[in-house]
Amino acid sequence: MNCTEARRMVTPYVKHELDDREMEQFLDHVEHCKDCMEELDIYFTMYQALELLESGKHQEYNFSKMLQENIRDTRRRIFGRKVFRVLHTVLIFLAEILLIFTVITGFEMRRGEIEHTIFERAILMFRRPAGLQQEEEPETEEEATEDLPEEETDNIRRI
């Protein structure tokens, strides 16, 4: 953004008429351009002073400090909106994935290809019956093949 474009945006900035993208570009320029910052400071001071006169409050104010706080708050709002848009997009994506899994599971159940929905399978996969403890790994080959028929035991030993 050049100074001419920035100067055209001073009044819309002060009146909060810029969208996020324009505001961010404007602030990036103004924070690095001393002349444009001075012009913004003048317009901001005039605008704030007129608002204070209309409201009937007659106190001393530090308008430069108010401008810096305004810029900081504007940056925070822009950042918050960006984060919200990203989170919104991620949530929409996850909802679409969930919908796709639900539809696929429904088709599979109609055709009789599966006994449980994807959700039921997930629950069964993570569920452990109460009172059962995890089985210990057999220490020797004999313990591992102890409960198998003799034919399978011989096959395992050959391997």
Side-chain angles (χ1 to χ4, degrees):
M1 173 176 288
N2 60 36
C3 291
T4 306
E5 293 170 340
R7 287 186 178 137
R8 272 190 256 130
M9 298 175 110
V10 168
T11 302
Y13 172 80
V14 170
K15 293 182 177 181
H16 307 288
E17 296 173 348
L18 299 176
D19 65 29
D20 286 351
R21 188 178 61 41
E22 292 172 328
M23 201 173 315
E24 191 169 25
Q25 290 173 351
F26 172 74
L27 291 177
D28 287 342
H29 176 81
V30 166
E31 288 174 339
H32 294 94
C33 178
K34 183 180 177 187
D35 294 335
C36 292
M37 180 57 97
E38 286 177 8
E39 187 160 342
L40 174 61
D41 192 21
I42 292 167
Y43 276 89
F44 183 83
T45 301
M46 288 184 343
Y47 187 77
Q48 290 297 316
L50 287 173
E51 279 191 1
L52 291 171
L53 283 174
E54 287 177 4
S55 70
K57 297 178 183 177
H58 300 288
Q59 298 176 2
E60 291 187 29
Y61 291 98
N62 184 347
F63 291 108
S64 294
K65 183 179 177 184
M66 288 173 67
L67 175 60
Q68 294 305 318
E69 289 173 3
N70 182 277
I71 289 172
R72 188 184 67 242
D73 292 343
T74 301
R75 289 265 187 210
R76 284 183 183 159
R77 276 194 310 276
I78 291 170
F79 178 76
R81 287 185 195 130
K82 282 182 178 181
V83 168
F84 177 78
R85 280 192 294 266
V86 168
L87 290 175
H88 183 262
T89 303
V90 167
L91 287 175
I92 294 294
F93 176 74
L94 292 174
E96 289 173 353
I97 295 294
L98 184 63
L99 179 64
I100 289 169
F101 280 128
T102 303
V103 169
I104 290 171
T105 302
F107 284 133
E108 289 176 345
M109 288 201 58
R110 279 205 166 162
R111 288 189 287 179
E113 293 178 6
I114 59 173
E115 295 177 13
H116 300 286
T117 65
I118 195 166
F119 305 111
E120 292 170 334
R121 284 185 273 170
I123 290 170
L124 290 172
M125 184 171 71
F126 292 109
R127 179 193 278 170
R128 284 191 183 150
L132 288 182
Q133 302 210 357
Q134 191 173 6
E135 295 183 21
E136 295 179 14
E137 293 287 324
E139 293 180 11
T140 63
E141 187 177 316
E142 287 79 27
E143 289 178 10
T145 59
E146 198 173 77
D147 296 332
L148 296 175
E150 202 168 305
E151 296 172 356
E152 289 182 27
T153 305
D154 292 337
N155 290 337
I156 291 173
R157 286 186 182 139
R158 281 187 225 145
I159 297 175

